[in-house]
Amino acid sequence: MKTNQEQPLIYLVDDDTVFLTLIQSELSSMGEVTTRTFASGEACLKQMHKNPCMVVLDYELSGEDPDVMNGVEVLKKIKETNPETEVVMISGWDDVTIAVASMKFGAYDYVVKNDSAMININNKAKNIFAKQEIIRKLAQEKVYRYYAVGLVLMIGVFIFILHWLVSP
């Protein structure tokens, strides 16, 4: 996840360049986000070291290579290397089997490519950002609690040593 000073990084993976452009335009309308587009899952996986907070991933990815990975295979690889990255699967198929397979392997959600797809993806992104902000704040609170407990323990030890030194 990115810090407050950096824009959230979103990867968009689809072999349909028109749909990629539409998704990129929709997410850019949110404001402070950075998007990168990829025509294949393999290209996306090569850039996962940049730790995007979200990946919008098409289920059916095609290519000239007969061994091209489909979206669920790419999803599995993303979750192996970047388990905190949220993945929204997209597909032109309104198929429960694909949705269930996607969710089984760690997808945040499944969106059908239809008239409301862009709105749904935008809403998923907002929900993911809100969730990640809550997680960040909880982690920060946890650190503050550790500092507080450490401080209380140090004061206790100091009082014990002071009492031991001044006691006859």
Side-chain angles (χ1 to χ4, degrees):
M1 187 170 60
K2 302 297 175 189
T3 64
N4 287 342
Q5 298 171 353
E6 297 177 9
Q7 295 180 343
L9 178 59
I10 302 172
Y11 284 178
L12 311 171
V13 186
D14 198 326
D15 52 353
D16 179 347
T17 56
V18 173
F19 197 77
L20 269 181
T21 304
L22 290 172
I23 297 172
Q24 190 171 34
S25 176
E26 178 65 28
L27 291 174
S28 295
S29 72
M30 291 177 63
E32 302 294 318
V33 298
T34 300
T35 58
R36 296 259 341 258
T37 61
F38 302 94
S40 73
E42 290 83 358
C44 171
L45 291 172
K46 289 178 183 175
Q47 294 299 312
M48 287 305 295
H49 65 276
K50 294 184 180 175
N51 201 24
C53 65
M54 177 180 171
V55 176
V56 178
L57 176 62
D58 188 21
Y59 173 76
E60 281 194 37
L61 297 169
S62 61
E64 294 176 14
D65 182 358
D67 296 325
V68 68
M69 298 172 76
N70 72 30
V72 172
E73 293 168 328
V74 175
L75 169 65
K76 289 178 189 177
K77 296 279 187 190
I78 289 172
K79 287 300 184 175
E80 284 175 15
T81 59
N82 300 69
E84 292 180 8
T85 297
E86 296 292 0
V87 179
V88 174
M89 293 294 290
I90 57 174
S91 176
W93 301 98
D94 190 0
D95 185 339
V96 174
T97 308
I98 297 171
V100 169
S102 300
M103 303 300 273
K104 176 182 173 185
F105 294 111
Y108 178 82
D109 212 337
Y110 179 83
V111 173
V112 178
K113 291 181 183 178
N114 58 21
D115 294 342
S116 61
M118 297 304 157
I119 294 168
N120 288 334
I121 292 168
N122 194 320
N123 288 336
K124 304 295 178 213
K126 288 176 184 176
N127 292 340
I128 287 168
F129 296 158
K131 174 187 169 188
Q132 290 176 340
E133 182 63 17
I134 289 168
I135 290 170
R136 188 191 63 74
K137 285 181 180 180
L138 288 173
Q140 191 175 30
E141 272 185 33
K142 190 174 184 180
V143 168
Y144 290 151
R145 271 190 251 129
Y146 284 130
Y147 286 144
V149 168
L151 182 60
V152 168
L153 287 173
M154 285 178 36
I155 291 170
V157 168
F158 178 74
I159 291 172
F160 174 78
I161 292 172
L162 188 62
H163 178 72
W164 180 71
L165 288 174
V166 292
S167 294

